[in-house]
C-alpha cells in the first residue's frame, strides 16, 4: 500500500473528512459486504478518509465480535487493496463489533449505544442495507422501533421496487422513519471515476459542450454486457430480470449524466434537479422498441422455473423529448453470459457531406466518428476520426485519440465506487445518489413495457445477444461493441 495520508492531508486537498460515525452494516456476512463494504471501509481508513468510527455488523447469523472480526479479516485479505499491514488491520479490527438482527430492536439499540459511548459525544449514524429488497422495509421498521433514526443516514441498495406501485410503497415505508434528505439510494455505477469524468468532460471543455446536442449528435449508446451468468442469484433474478436489475437502476442513471443540462452549480441539489428534468422528459418506453433475450440453459439453473420468461438480456431504444435531444435515439443494452464484459458510453456524431472526396477514398466506410467513455475502474476515453493515409492520393483511414487514467500516474488515488459513495453519504453529499422522485418517474416510463413485454428470444452463451432482433433494433446503425479496434495498452 502507498503511504497513508493523514486526515489533515485530505482536508488540505479539499476533501471533506466526515465527523465521528457509528456505521451499521445490515447483511454484514453477505457477499457484498465481504467483497466491497468491509474492504472498502478498510481502504478509506488507510486513505485517511474514514472518521473516528465504530462499525457494527448486523445479520441473521449467530456470531460474536471475534467471529465477525475473523470473517472481516478474511474478506479484506481476499478482496482488499493489496497487502493489509498488521497495523492497518489491528486499528480496523478494534472498530468492529457484531449484533444478530434476530435479537430484536433492543439489542440493536444497545449495540449502537455502546459504540456511541466509545466514541463520545453525539456521533452520526450511517446504516447500509446490504439486504434483499424484501427485507429492506423490515430493517427500516426495526430502526424506527429502536429509536435510531435521529442523527442518521441510510444507504439503500437496488432494486428500489419492481414497478411503480412497489416503489411508492417502499418510499412510503422509508419516509415513515426517515426524511428524504436522510436517504441515499446507491448506484455504484455513478460512483466510478469515469462517470464523474463525464461531467468534467462535458462542462469544463469548450470543445465539446457546443456540439452536445441534436444538431451534431446522431445517437448515443450505453452498453453494459456481462460475461457472468446469474450464478446462485436465480431466486433474486427470477423476480427482477435484466431490465429491472440493470436498466432502471443503472443505465438510466448514466443516461441522465450524459444528457442533462448544465447544473447551476456543482452541488447535489442542482445536479439532481437536472437529472430529474431528463427523467421527466423521457418518453414512455415503446415495447415494440425493446428486445428481450434469455441465454440457453438459463431455465435449467436451480431456482428457475422450467417455463421462465425472465429476460437475461435487454436492448431498447428510448428518446428524450426536450429541446436538446428531440429526435435523437438512445440505445441501451445489457445482458448476462455475453461475449465480453464492458461498460461503455458511445456518442456517435453526425457525418458531414462527403461530395468533395473521390470514389474509393474510404470516407464514410467505417461509420461516424465516436466519442467513447469506458467506465472501467481504470477509465479510458477515445475519440475516433478520419485521417489521410500517408502516401500518394487521398485515401482515408479511421484513427483515434485515446486517453487512459493510467497516463496520469494517479490511478492509485482512485477510490472504488462503493468507497466513494460511502464517504459521500457520511458527509451528506447526494450528488451521486438518486431520489424518490426520479425512481418513481423511471417506473412510470417503464410501465408500458412491464404491462406488455415482448417475447423472449433465445441466445447462445458467449454471444452478443439474440440475433437478428437486437441488430434490427438499431439498424441501419450498428452496435459499438464489439470494437473493431482494441484499446491501446499502457505505455
Amino acid at each position: 500500500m502507498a503511504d497513508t495520508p493523514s486526515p489533515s492531508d485530505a482536508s488540505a486537498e479539499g476533501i471533506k473528512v466526515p465527523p465521528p460515525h457509528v456505521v451499521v452494516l445490515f447483511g454484514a456476512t453477505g457477499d457484498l459486504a465481504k467483497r466491497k463494504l468491509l474492504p472498502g471501509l478498510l481502504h478509506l481508513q488507510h486513505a485517511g478518509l474514514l472518521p473516528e468510527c465504530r462499525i457494527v455488523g448486523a445479520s441473521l447469523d449467530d456470531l460474536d465480535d471475534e467471529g465477525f472480526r475473523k470473517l472481516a479479516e478474511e474478506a479484506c485479505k481476499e478482496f482488499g487493496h493489496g497487502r493489509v499491514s498488521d497495523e492497518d488491520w489491528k486499528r480496523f479490527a478494534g472498530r468492529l463489533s457484531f449484533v444478530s438482527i434476530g435479537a430484536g430492536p433492543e439489542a440493536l439499540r444497545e449495540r449502537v449505544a455502546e459504540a456511541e459511548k466509545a466514541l463520545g459525544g453525539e456521533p452520526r449514524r450511517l446504516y447500509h442495507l446490504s439486504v434483499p429488497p424484501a427485507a429492506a422495509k423490515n430493517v427500516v421498521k426495526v430502526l424506527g422501533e429502536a429509536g435510531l433514526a435521529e442523527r442518521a443516514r441510510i444507504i439503500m441498495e437496488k432494486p428500489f421496487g419492481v414497478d411503480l406501485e412497489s416503489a411508492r410503497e417502499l418510499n412510503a415505508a422509508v419516509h415513515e422513519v426517515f426524511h428524504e434528505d436522510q436517504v441515499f439510494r446507491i448506484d455504484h455505477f455513478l460512483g466510478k471515476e469515469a462517470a464523474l469524468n463525464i461531467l468534467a468532460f462535458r462542462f469544463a471543455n469548450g470543445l465539446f459542450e457546443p456540439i452536445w446536442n441534436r444538431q451534431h449528435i446522431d445517437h448515443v449508446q450505453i452498453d453494459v454486457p456481462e460475461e457472468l451468468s446469474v450464478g446462485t442469484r436465480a431466486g433474486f433474478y427470477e423476480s427482477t430480470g435484466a431490465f429491472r436489475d440493470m436498466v432502471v437502476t443503472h443505465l438510466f442513471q448514466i443516461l441522465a449524466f450524459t444528457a442533462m443540462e448544465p447544473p447551476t452549480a456543482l452541488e447535489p441539489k442542482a445536479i439532481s434537479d437536472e437529472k430529474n428534468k431528463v427523467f421527466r422528459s423521457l418518453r414512455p418506453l415503446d415495447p415494440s422498441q425493446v428486445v428481450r433475450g434469455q441465454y440457453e440453459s438459463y431455465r435449467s439453473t436451480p431456482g428457475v422455473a422450467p417455463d421462465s420468461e425472465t429476460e437475461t438480456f435487454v436492448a431498447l431504444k428510448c428518446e428524450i423529448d426536450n429541446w436538446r435531444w428531440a429526435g435523437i435515439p438512445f440505445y441501451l443494452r445489457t445482458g448476462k453470459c455475453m461475449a465480453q464484459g464492458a461498460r461503455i458510453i458511445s456518442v456517435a456524431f453526425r457525418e458531414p457531406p462527403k461530395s468533395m472526396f473521390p470514389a474509393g477514398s474510404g470516407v464514410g466506410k467505417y461509420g461516424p466518428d465516436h466519442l467513447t467513455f469506458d467506465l472501467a475502474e481504470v477509465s479510458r476515453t477515445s475519440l475516433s476520426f478520419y485521417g489521410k493515409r500517408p502516401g500518394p492520393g487521398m485515401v482515408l483511414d479511421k484513427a483515434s485519440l485515446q486517453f487512459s487514467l493510467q497516463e496520469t500516474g494517479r490511478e492509485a488515488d482512485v477510490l472504488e465506487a462503493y468507497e466513494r459513495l460511502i464517504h459521500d453519504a457520511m458527509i451528506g453529499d447526494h450528488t451521486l445518489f438518486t431520489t424518490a422522485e426520479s425512481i418513481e418517474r423511471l417506473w412510470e416510463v417503464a410501465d408500458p413495457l412491464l404491462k406488455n413485454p415482448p417475447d423472449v428470444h433465445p441466445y447462445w452463451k458467449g454471444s452478443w445477444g439474440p440475433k437478428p432482433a437486437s441488430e434490427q433494433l438499431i439498424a441501419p446503425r450498428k452496435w459499438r461493441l464489439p470494437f473493431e479496434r482494441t484499446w491501446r495498452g499502457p505505455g
Side-chain angles (χ1 to χ4, degrees):
M1 286 184 174
D3 291 339
T4 304
S6 68
S8 59
D9 293 333
S11 298
E13 294 185 8
I15 302 171
K16 293 182 180 179
V17 178
H21 266 73
V22 173
V23 180
V24 183
L25 301 179
F26 291 94
T29 58
D31 189 64
L32 179 62
K34 292 176 183 177
R35 289 177 174 272
K36 297 294 183 181
L37 305 186
L38 290 165
L41 287 165
L42 176 58
H43 187 235
L44 285 175
Q45 172 186 283
H46 184 84
L49 295 173
L50 191 68
E52 284 300 312
C53 73
R54 294 294 183 270
I55 301 166
V56 180
S59 76
L60 292 173
D61 295 84
D62 185 18
L63 283 178
D64 57 14
D65 292 351
E66 284 306 312
F68 181 54
R69 289 176 185 136
K70 182 178 180 181
L71 178 149
E73 183 177 17
E74 292 173 353
C76 290
K77 286 181 177 178
E78 183 174 0
F79 301 110
H81 294 248
R83 190 181 68 84
V84 180
S85 71
D86 292 340
E87 181 182 351
D88 271 337
W89 174 250
K90 184 176 180 180
R91 184 180 173 202
F92 188 69
R95 303 176 186 267
L96 301 177
S97 61
F98 186 83
V99 63
S100 173
I101 296 176
E106 182 62 32
L108 177 62
R109 179 167 58 245
E110 289 177 0
R111 271 294 164 143
V112 171
E114 290 173 8
E116 291 179 339
K117 184 177 180 180
L119 290 171
E122 292 188 334
R124 294 206 63 93
R125 301 158 176 167
L126 180 68
Y127 311 124
H128 193 127
L129 272 59
S130 176
V131 297
K137 287 194 289 187
N138 289 333
V139 172
V140 170
K141 183 180 178 183
V142 167
L143 288 169
E145 291 173 347
L148 293 174
E150 187 180 356
R151 307 191 313 276
R153 298 184 178 112
I154 180 170
I155 297 176
M156 300 193 68
E157 291 282 344
K158 67 161 180 90
F160 313 111
V162 295
D163 54 23
L164 179 58
E165 182 180 0
S166 60
R168 285 174 172 168
E169 289 177 359
L170 178 58
N171 285 332
V174 171
H175 291 156
E176 286 181 3
V177 179
F178 297 97
H179 298 295
E180 177 63 17
D181 62 3
Q182 294 177 277
V183 184
F184 291 74
R185 297 170 186 81
I186 199 167
D187 174 9
H188 66 272
F189 273 47
L190 294 187
K192 294 181 179 296
E193 195 76 26
L196 290 169
N197 202 37
I198 295 170
L199 298 183
F201 204 93
R202 284 192 56 191
F203 300 128
N205 295 293
L207 176 62
F208 291 103
E209 181 54 27
I211 61 173
W212 209 266
N213 54 55
R214 57 190 171 89
Q215 275 82 25
H216 301 282
I217 290 175
D218 178 80
H219 71 279
V220 177
Q221 295 181 32
I222 301 174
D223 209 352
V224 186
E226 297 181 286
E227 291 182 287
L228 297 175
S229 68
V230 299
T232 59
R233 299 172 69 233
F236 163 78
Y237 212 79
E238 274 288 89
S239 63
T240 53
F243 178 77
R244 289 179 171 93
D245 184 40
M246 292 292 292
V247 177
V248 176
T249 50
H250 293 322
L251 274 63
F252 277 154
Q253 299 296 327
I254 294 295
L255 179 149
F257 264 51
T258 308
M260 64 189 277
E261 295 296 320
T264 55
L266 197 63
E267 296 174 352
K269 186 177 186 309
I271 291 174
S272 289
D273 287 346
E274 296 305 332
K275 286 174 59 184
N276 285 338
K277 288 178 185 177
V278 172
F279 297 143
R280 289 195 292 269
S281 299
L282 270 175
R283 290 184 174 180
L285 295 180
D286 180 353
S288 69
Q289 298 297 315
V290 178
V291 175
R292 298 167 69 235
Q294 186 184 94
Y295 65 79
E296 46 88 20
S297 80
Y298 171 74
R299 292 179 180 178
S300 62
T301 304
V304 173
D307 57 350
S308 172
E309 291 294 314
T310 300
E311 80 280 352
T312 61
F313 168 97
V314 64
L316 60 91
K317 172 185 172 183
C318 59
E319 295 185 73
I320 301 170
D321 194 11
N322 64 15
W323 190 268
R324 184 182 292 261
W325 297 110
I328 304 304
F330 284 71
Y331 296 100
L332 281 54
R333 180 174 67 163
T334 186
K336 297 286 189 183
C337 290
M338 302 282 279
Q340 70 181 70
R343 298 164 179 173
I344 72 156
I345 304 165
S346 191
V347 180
F349 293 96
R350 293 190 184 278
E351 297 186 73
K354 311 178 186 69
S355 57
M356 63 176 282
F357 294 97
S361 65
V363 66
K365 179 179 178 181
Y366 302 102
D369 300 334
H370 285 84
L371 175 63
T372 302
F373 298 91
D374 184 345
L375 303 185
E377 295 297 343
V378 180
S379 60
R380 297 173 291 191
T381 305
S382 170
L383 178 63
S384 68
F385 58 92
Y386 282 99
K388 182 185 177 299
R389 182 186 299 174
M394 179 58 76
V395 179
L396 305 183
D397 288 324
K398 202 75 164 181
S400 67
L401 298 171
Q402 295 186 8
F403 169 77
S404 171
L405 182 65
Q406 292 173 326
E407 297 174 32
T408 68
R410 301 200 64 173
E411 63 269 25
D413 295 343
V414 174
L415 293 178
E416 285 195 354
Y418 270 100
E419 296 165 5
R420 179 190 303 278
L421 293 169
I422 289 171
H423 180 266
D424 284 355
M426 284 183 169
I427 62 176
D429 187 340
H430 277 89
T431 301
L432 301 177
F433 297 85
T434 191
T435 64
E437 176 188 346
S438 65
I439 288 297
E440 291 181 16
R441 171 56 188 163
L442 290 175
W443 286 121
E444 287 180 350
V445 170
D447 193 55
L449 173 63
L450 298 180
K451 289 181 176 177
N452 187 30
D455 293 338
V456 171
H457 299 268
Y459 66 96
W460 294 106
K461 288 183 177 181
S463 71
W464 286 101
K467 295 182 180 181
S470 60
E471 294 176 339
Q472 291 172 346
L473 174 71
I474 200 171
R477 305 172 178 94
K478 293 184 178 180
W479 291 105
R480 184 73 169 138
L481 286 175
F483 287 131
E484 294 179 1
R485 290 172 300 283
T486 59
W487 291 95
R488 290 194 290 271

